[in-house]
């Protein structure tokens, strides 16, 4: 985990920041993308780097989840298979939600770019704005753009937390049908096996929390990296 997040992640995103800064000096005039290099470095790269720290748990999450599923099958048999099927269904729903999170993140970043563009315009043209007494008009414009950005930020947080809470509730939702199936099927349910299976379900809690969270963070990181890729692909001026 430390190798992926602290060493490799720091080196990769450090190089990305250098590439973005160098690209900004070679652009062919003013671009129409609406994205500045300072925004990409200060917002997109920082978000992607922070997401990478949690995404580094993904290998441990997968190995822990697979090991727990094997233990469930060995401990309670078909009852464990029923519980695993419930967890797979919840994970599939989280994957669908991750696609929605990606779309919301794209709109949120576009709204943030619009707000920052207005602020940069105010800073650049502050003298004529003060001379013409346009402060209130610009302040209202900035407030409206911020409201739009906050609306999409709220949607992103609601979807992200909803995905994480679904993963957190997965062990309880999976254990219930598993034990009900065992009871209705007349299967022998000694306390030792039941408590052992319940411990395995609870042990899967971290994996089931981190898996949907990793899907959400991956979708958000993909948006940031795609914006950086689009910026690096912009045309450059011809060398003299």
């Amino acid at each position: 985990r430390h190798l992926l997040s602290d060493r490799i992640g720091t080196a990769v995103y450090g190089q990305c920041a250098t590439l973005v800064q160098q690209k900004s000096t070679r652009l062919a005039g003013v671009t129409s993308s609406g994205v500045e290099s300072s925004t990409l470095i200060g917002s997109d790269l920082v978000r992607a780097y922070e997401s990478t720290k949690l995404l580094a748990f993904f290998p441990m999450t997968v190995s822990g989840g697979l090991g727990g599923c094997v233990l469930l099958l060995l401990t309670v048999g078909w009852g464990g298979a029923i519980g695993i099927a419930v967890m797979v269904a919840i994970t599939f729903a989280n994957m669908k939600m991750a696609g929605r999170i990606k779309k919301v993140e794209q709109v949120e970043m576009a709204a943030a770019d619009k707000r920052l563009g207005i602020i940069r315009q105010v800073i650049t043209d502050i003298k004529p704005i003060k001379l013409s007494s346009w402060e209130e008009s610009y302040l209202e414009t900035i407030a409206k753009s911020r409201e739009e950005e906050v609306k999409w930020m709220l949607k992103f947080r609601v979807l992200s937390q909803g995905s994480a809470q679904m993963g957190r509730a997965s062990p309880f939702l999976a254990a219930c049908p598993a034990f009900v199936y065992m009871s209705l099927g007349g299967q022998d349910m000694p306390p030792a096996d039941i408590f052992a299976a319940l411990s395995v379900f609870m042990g899967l809690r971290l994996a089931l929390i981190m898996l949907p969270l990793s899907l959400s963070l991956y979708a958000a990181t993909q948006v940031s990296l795609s914006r950086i890729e689009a910026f690096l692909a912009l045309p450059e001026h011809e060398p003299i």
Side-chain angles (χ1 to χ4, degrees):
R1 180 177 68 87
H2 292 291
L3 177 64
L4 290 175
S5 62
D6 297 338
R7 296 187 180 181
I8 298 178
T10 302
V12 169
Y13 289 117
Q15 290 297 321
C16 287
T18 302
L19 289 174
V20 170
Q21 190 62 38
Q22 291 177 349
K23 178 70 176 185
S24 65
T25 63
R26 302 195 301 267
L27 291 177
V30 180
T31 67
S32 59
S33 64
V35 182
E36 295 286 339
S37 60
S38 58
T39 303
L40 293 174
I41 295 174
S43 178
D44 293 67
L45 275 178
V46 171
R47 287 189 185 190
Y49 177 67
E50 293 299 326
S51 298
T52 303
K53 291 182 179 180
L54 292 176
L55 285 172
F57 284 97
F58 186 74
M60 180 182 69
T61 299
V62 173
S63 61
L66 292 176
C69 291
V70 172
L71 283 176
L72 280 176
L73 292 175
L74 294 177
T75 304
V76 294
W78 283 106
I82 297 296
I84 292 172
V86 173
M87 291 187 288
V88 169
I90 295 174
T91 302
F92 181 76
N94 277 319
M95 292 176 64
K96 293 293 185 180
M97 192 176 293
R100 175 62 178 165
I101 290 172
K102 181 178 179 180
K103 295 178 181 178
V104 171
E105 180 75 351
Q106 289 175 335
V107 179
E108 178 200 338
M109 287 189 169
D113 291 337
K114 179 181 178 181
R115 177 180 59 84
L116 292 174
I118 297 172
I119 293 175
R120 279 192 295 267
Q121 182 180 0
V122 170
I123 294 173
T124 303
D125 302 330
I126 188 64
K127 289 184 178 180
I129 290 174
K130 296 291 288 185
L131 180 63
S132 304
S133 298
W134 289 340
E135 297 94 330
E136 293 297 330
S137 299
Y138 272 93
L139 183 61
E140 183 179 352
T141 302
I142 293 173
K144 288 182 179 179
S145 63
R146 179 59 177 172
E147 288 177 2
E148 182 70 15
E149 180 186 0
V150 169
K151 181 183 72 174
W152 290 105
M153 288 175 64
L154 178 61
K155 289 183 179 181
F156 174 77
R157 294 303 174 189
V158 168
L159 289 172
S160 298
Q161 288 303 311
S163 178
Q165 297 307 320
M166 285 175 62
R168 186 166 292 159
S170 291
F172 305 99
L173 298 176
C176 290
F179 294 149
V180 169
Y181 171 83
M182 294 170 62
S183 177
L184 294 178
Q187 185 175 344
D188 188 22
M189 299 175 64
D193 290 346
I194 294 302
F195 283 110
L198 188 60
S199 297
V200 175
F201 275 115
M202 294 301 104
L204 286 170
R205 190 176 183 184
L206 177 61
L208 294 173
I209 291 173
M210 291 304 301
L211 183 59
L213 182 61
S214 298
L215 294 174
S216 302
L217 293 174
Y218 174 75
T221 303
Q222 206 173 21
V223 173
S224 297
L225 295 180
S226 64
R227 282 159 52 89
I228 294 172
E229 182 181 4
F231 182 83
L232 294 176
L234 292 174
E236 301 180 1
H237 63 73
E238 295 293 333
I240 300 176

